[in-house]
Amino acid sequence: MADQPAASRFRGDGGLAGGNTWSIVAKIALLAIVAAVAVWLAVPLYAAEMWVPLVLLIVATVLIFVVYLQPWHIPIKYLVPGTIFLVLFQIVPVIFTVSTAFTNFGDGHRGTKEDAIRAIELTSVQRVPDSPEYVLTIATTGDPATGPLVFLLVDPATKAVQIGDAEGLKPFDGATVSDSGKVTAAPGLTLLNAGQAGARSADLEALTIPTPNGAIKSQGLSRAFEGKPVRDYKADCDCITDTATGATWTAKNDTGSFVDASGAALPQGWQTNVGMGNFTRAFTDPAVSGPFLGILVWNFGFAIASVLITFVAGLLVAMALNSPHLRAIRFYRILIILPYAMPSFAMLLVWRDMFNQDFGLINNLTGAHVNWFGEAWTARFAILLTQFWLGYPYMFLVCLGALQSIPADLTEAAAVDGARRFQAFKAVVFPLLLVAVSPLLIASFAFNFNNYNIIGLTTEGGPFPPDNPRAGATDLLVSYVYKLAFAPGGAQYGFAAAVSILIFLIVATVSIIGFRRTAALEEINR
């Protein structure tokens, strides 16, 4: 053994010192792909100065090379990929969510205080007497409908061309300028015509180009002027003052906003740590606590009712189809599991159309003219009915498997003791059934508590009250969080992250209680 060559000792273990040629080639190719992906990710991280993700990327890449280039066959080779994916897709998002929950991060509160001050000053630019004026040509560096806008500015006196964006002005060479001063060709840019520029009027109005003496804004589609901001930041009072009206907004650092005497805040703010503010807001802010508590109650009702009705129906059908004397039992079982086998997102869209007030199948068959999604309780009934149809086949499969695993000797012994079928089921079968299916019932509750698909693809949370388009009668907490985080009216990522944590705590508490009850059932049935 001592005289055995090192290469033969390592042969077949997957290392570079042994194995066949194809395994070595495959390993080199995979490591090359890892290196290429690492470089591809590292360049933008370095450019954005995101040092922590860059360090993690380097450590993970080095770890992969160290583990897979050594010749020994060790378990860590199989653990490393799963560990890396666990960190990337589970631990990192959780850490980011928790850290965001203690901030006011969202629309209007994304950058620093300096960024907010700069935005306030630039958006208040107004024209002053004798301010410079330019011939404006609007262009984009990408698609005319979505690409970032730039200004091509021509000085009427010198015909010099400058390009401006949110970063500032700089000379632009190679442009073709007409006698009127309009740019007719610009290498690397797409010039927008009047229709294309008009379609992006909101982006055009928001674009302000900073200059040493103020800022440049557009005036229509063909002219631009250099003006000065009327709102100015004063460090001595830590406030914004309006030189035209005399209004003052004082910095409120705990909320990341500039507010006036009445408490009204400017739309531009900055990201700051708010502590437990997002969590307490869910229960103390009247504008939030009312919808939040109402949604929470409905969320519990929906999850509990969904589990209960699907479990009862699934159990009854499983008991009916568990009889060995039933003919065509396979045919019946196939029919039962069809809803479970169909894609749920497609079936949800079908059910949404079936509940349509004007041409829906349900109203046409019954002769009714019910606006199912127009009233709170009819919409909730429609949601529960849809969930019942989608969910009971799963419970049927679960209960059927549990029933078939219960020894027939137990029920026969109960019958010998004089117990009727219902008594045997209540005293013997059902307790044993609960031991088997309780973990699945808990998992079903957790799934339905966060069942975004059934809300998002049918009612979209509606119907909504006139004063709150974000919290509807059928909204679950998860759909409410989605609207808070991504609604076009203003995203509130910090508050949405806090509500997500509350959802986790609720589901975790219910699950812990449920698993303890399951353990108690197991002790009783031993």
Side-chain angles (χ1 to χ4, degrees), residues 259-443:
V259 298
D260 60 15
S262 64
L266 291 174
Q268 301 91 346
W270 62 94
Q271 184 177 344
T272 187
N273 194 318
V274 297
M276 298 295 294
N278 287 326
F279 296 92
T280 58
R281 179 186 172 197
F283 302 99
T284 58
D285 186 351
V288 176
S289 60
F292 178 83
L293 294 176
I295 291 173
L296 179 62
V297 172
W298 156 243
N299 206 151
F300 269 105
F302 169 77
I304 294 173
S306 296
V307 174
L308 183 62
I309 60 178
T310 55
F311 173 66
V312 171
L315 176 59
L316 293 177
V317 176
M319 293 174 62
L321 297 184
N322 194 38
S323 172
H325 306 293
L326 185 66
R327 295 183 178 181
I329 189 169
R330 293 184 178 179
F331 173 75
Y332 291 128
R333 290 178 179 177
I334 292 174
L335 289 181
I336 292 297
I337 65 173
L338 273 179
Y340 184 62
M342 300 294 288
S344 61
F345 73 92
M347 292 298 98
L348 288 172
L349 296 177
V350 171
W351 274 92
R352 181 192 64 185
D353 292 339
M354 288 173 59
F355 282 110
N356 186 277
Q357 181 180 3
D358 299 319
F359 56 82
L361 178 64
I362 294 178
N363 278 352
N364 289 338
L365 289 178
T366 60
H369 194 67
V370 179
N371 183 10
W372 292 98
F373 296 148
E375 299 293 335
W377 285 106
T378 55
R380 290 169 178 170
F381 175 79
I383 290 294
L384 288 172
L385 182 60
T386 304
Q387 181 58 30
F388 166 76
W389 188 83
L390 290 172
Y392 86 89
Y394 169 74
M395 290 298 180
F396 159 74
L397 293 174
V398 169
C399 293
L400 183 63
L403 288 174
Q404 292 179 345
S405 67
I406 298 175
D409 297 343
L410 298 178
T411 54
E412 293 174 359
V416 170
D417 292 339
R420 297 181 180 180
R421 293 186 62 182
F422 177 76
Q423 293 174 328
F425 174 80
K426 180 180 178 182
V428 178
V429 177
F430 191 67
L432 295 175
L433 180 75
L434 283 182
V435 172
V437 305
S438 288
L440 298 176
L441 294 179
I442 296 170

Side-chain angles (χ1 to χ4, degrees), residues 112-128:
T112 64
K113 188 175 183 179
E114 290 73 19
D115 295 333
I117 293 171
R118 181 170 176 267
I120 291 170
E121 292 178 340
L122 290 178
T123 54
S124 68
V125 170
Q126 292 186 6
R127 190 167 188 176
V128 297

Side-chain angles (χ1 to χ4, degrees), residues 472-499:
T474 57
D475 262 321
L476 303 179
L477 286 176
V478 64
S479 61
Y480 182 51
V481 168
Y482 179 84
K483 293 172 186 175
L484 289 174
F486 303 108
Q492 304 177 61
Y493 298 116
F495 182 55
V499 177

Side-chain angles (χ1 to χ4, degrees), residues 302 348 383 386-387 390 451-459 476:
F302 169 77
L348 288 172
I383 290 294
T386 304
Q387 181 58 30
L390 290 172
N451 193 349
Y452 175 81
N453 287 346
I454 194 169
I455 304 299
L457 295 177
T458 53
T459 65
L476 303 179

